Amino acid sequence: MAKQATLYRMVTPEHICPFGVHAKELLEGAVYDVDDRHLKTREETDSFKAEHNLRTTPLIVIDGKDIGGSDDLERYLADG
């Protein structure tokens, strides 16, 4: 059974978050099945950040646990 992760990241016509791209690459490299959820407007992104008490995106969720952003994901994957 594949490992599952949900990735919430900003992808708008004006901007694609480089940290979200990096997080997706890390997850795919670690053989996760990624549910890639795009935040498609600045308003949607700001609302998502407020709802989840975040300063930035992306947000990675693995096994129902909020891992955090791409730096947090790197530490999570390194810790095994």
Side-chain angles (χ1 to χ4, degrees):
M1 180 177 203
K3 300 180 283 185
Q4 303 285 319
T6 304
L7 171 62
Y8 299 90
R9 64 188 180 113
M10 184 176 183
V11 178
T12 70
E14 301 82 28
H15 180 74
I16 297 175
C17 174
F19 298 102
V21 171
H22 180 64
K24 186 174 183 207
E25 290 170 349
L26 287 172
L27 288 165
E28 290 174 343
V31 196
Y32 278 83
D33 181 17
V34 181
D35 179 4
D36 189 11
R37 301 196 182 179
H38 295 180
L39 304 169
K40 298 177 183 175
T41 65
R42 170 54 67 186
E43 294 77 20
E44 186 178 4
T45 301
D46 290 345
S47 176
F48 180 84
K49 291 189 309 186
E51 179 182 339
H52 294 276
N53 196 29
L54 301 172
R55 290 182 313 132
T56 63
T57 59
L59 173 64
I60 298 99
V61 179
I62 297 174
D63 295 330
K65 177 183 175 195
D66 290 357
I67 301 303
S70 61
D71 290 344
D72 301 309
L73 177 61
E74 284 186 28
R75 285 188 289 276
Y76 176 87
L77 295 174
D79 290 344

